[in-house]
Amino acid sequence: MTAELIRGTVVAEQIRGEIAAETARLRETRGVVPGLVTILVGEDPASQSYVSAKSRTARELGFHSVQHTLPASTSEAELLDLLARCNADPALHGILVQLPLPKQIDEQRVLGAIRPEKDVDAFHPVNVGKLLLGNPDVLPCTPAGIHELLLRSGTELDGAEVVVVGRSNIVGKPIAVMLAQKAPGANATVTLCHTRTRDLAAHTRRADVLIVAAGRPKAITAEMVKPGAVVIDVGVNRVGVTDKGKARLCGDVDFDAVREVASKITPVPGGVGPMTITMLMRNTLRAAQRAAG
Ligand code: NAP
């Protein structure tokens, strides 16, 4: 069996069309333009390219897009001051602080200083708590993107065995919580694995749906996958340079071998990655819609 590809690029394009249409409607009916501010501290090249992609996508969708680039020496007080101004600005519905932050700045204090209504990354403790309670206003972007890929590829989740590899606060833990909720499009039996899991393969081989966010190239081999499973590869690992001088990327799954065992699989690049930015845009649109009543 050669697995069908779940093409995040195509699904993301479709959802961006939906967002652009809703954005135009919001502007025409309520005079409201969704506003997104991105804040980058320092000059990390990967962070720079993520932030400029986010700002560019926001502009393409017809959003009001503001980008702040601060020097690496910025103090926590200066960043908190900027956040206070963004919190108070009615033209900004979403605030995104690009992580990681320089070490003199306390990440949790900064994330906690964003008004929960403007927290389009869904990292504020209030939004994390609401997600756990099954009553979220906003979903974290990468897990929301994974969920959309599962739903739009017709993957059965109700009663399914889902195994998540990786327990980070931004991917593993929230997707595990989302899929375990007592709700339509969820109701899965979820196992959350990590580096202290005793026999990883014994768990992954039971999975109807295997979601991998470990940050380890080829951590998942064909022998670790149940025939017919749906495999979502979240990993983005830089493993060299292409002929064009760009970073060569690979996921956490041994794609060529696992493709022969799984029924559906996401490629890297072109799988989960394009969905993450798209979900950020959808969160910003929803924040603007809520602000407009
Ligand atoms: P992270 O904070 O780096 O944590 C990795 C998690 O994987 C940890 O919980 C770790 O266990 C677990 N892990 C690592 N190696 C393992 C192994 N061999 N077996 C079992 N568990 C293992 O993770 P992250 O921030 O979620 O990122 C994970 C990957 O996804 C990275 O490649 C990242 O670049 C990518 N990512 C992609 C997107 C996207 O939009 N496509 C978004 C976010 C992240 P312990 O807790 O025990 O250490």
Side-chain angles (χ1 to χ4, degrees):
M1 175 197 293
T2 299
E4 186 188 317
L5 289 185
I6 301 177
R7 293 183 192 277
T9 319
V10 174
V11 179
E13 202 49 53
Q14 198 182 340
I15 297 175
R16 286 180 199 190
E18 296 164 13
I19 294 170
E22 277 189 60
T23 299
R25 199 158 43 240
L26 185 66
R27 193 177 51 236
E28 282 153 24
T29 59
R30 311 297 306 269
V32 173
V33 176
L36 174 67
V37 57
T38 55
I39 301 172
L40 171 66
V41 186
E43 282 152 21
D44 175 60
S47 293
Q48 278 174 338
S49 80
Y50 291 145
V51 163
S52 54
K54 288 166 188 175
S55 303
R56 191 178 56 243
T57 309
R59 281 193 302 276
E60 282 166 6
L61 290 170
F63 290 10
H64 167 55
S65 171
V66 179
Q67 190 173 338
H68 289 285
T69 307
L70 308 178
S73 58
T74 301
S75 69
E76 188 178 294
E78 286 168 324
L79 180 55
L80 291 174
D81 185 55
L82 173 59
L83 283 177
R85 280 182 276 132
C86 295
N87 276 336
D89 185 342
L92 299 175
H93 305 98
I95 301 173
L96 179 127
V97 178
Q98 185 66 40
L99 302 179
L101 289 168
K103 55 183 178 312
Q104 73 274 15
I105 300 178
D106 182 329
E107 214 159 87
Q108 288 308 317
R109 198 170 300 145
V110 166
L111 296 177
I114 297 171
R115 271 174 57 182
E117 314 88 90
K118 296 192 176 194
D119 168 35
V120 281
D121 255 338
F123 292 161
H124 190 286
V126 164
N127 288 322
V128 176
K130 285 186 167 182
L131 173 62
L132 191 65
L133 293 170
N135 187 27
D137 294 323
V138 57
L139 293 170
C141 301
T142 303
I146 295 168
H147 196 211
E148 280 293 341
L149 289 179
L150 291 170
L151 295 177
R152 292 184 188 229
S153 62
T155 303
E156 180 65 46
L157 291 165
D158 202 304
E161 290 284 344
V162 172
V163 174
V164 179
V165 182
R167 57 177 163 185
S168 72
N169 289 335
I170 62 168
V171 188
K173 265 192 242 171
I175 190 65
V177 166
M178 282 164 63
L179 298 182
Q181 294 294 354
K182 187 166 184 170
N187 281 320
T189 303
V190 181
T191 305
L192 187 55
C193 298
H194 43 77
T195 56
R196 304 297 288 269
T197 297
R198 283 207 191 108
D199 185 351
L200 182 62
H203 292 285
T204 59
R205 269 198 291 267
R206 284 191 301 101
D208 301 313
V209 178
L210 178 59
I211 300 169
V212 192
R216 300 281 179 278
K218 300 194 179 181
I220 302 298
T221 59
E223 303 73 51
M224 296 168 79
V225 176
K226 174 172 156 179
V230 174
V231 178
I232 306 290
D233 189 354
V234 188
V236 178
N237 304 293
R238 287 173 168 73
V239 288
V241 182
T242 65
D243 300 342
K244 291 178 183 159
K246 286 188 160 183
R248 187 184 296 282
L249 303 180
C250 84
D252 291 346
V253 172
D254 183 355
F255 180 83
D256 292 335
V258 171
R259 199 179 175 189
E260 299 307 314
V261 181
S263 62
K264 294 178 189 158
I265 188 168
T266 56
V268 178
V272 175
M275 293 297 289
T276 297
I277 290 191
T278 302
M279 293 299 106
L280 175 71
M281 299 305 142
R282 193 165 76 177
N283 285 347
T284 305
L285 169 65
R286 297 269 181 271
Q289 288 169 327
R290 277 196 299 275

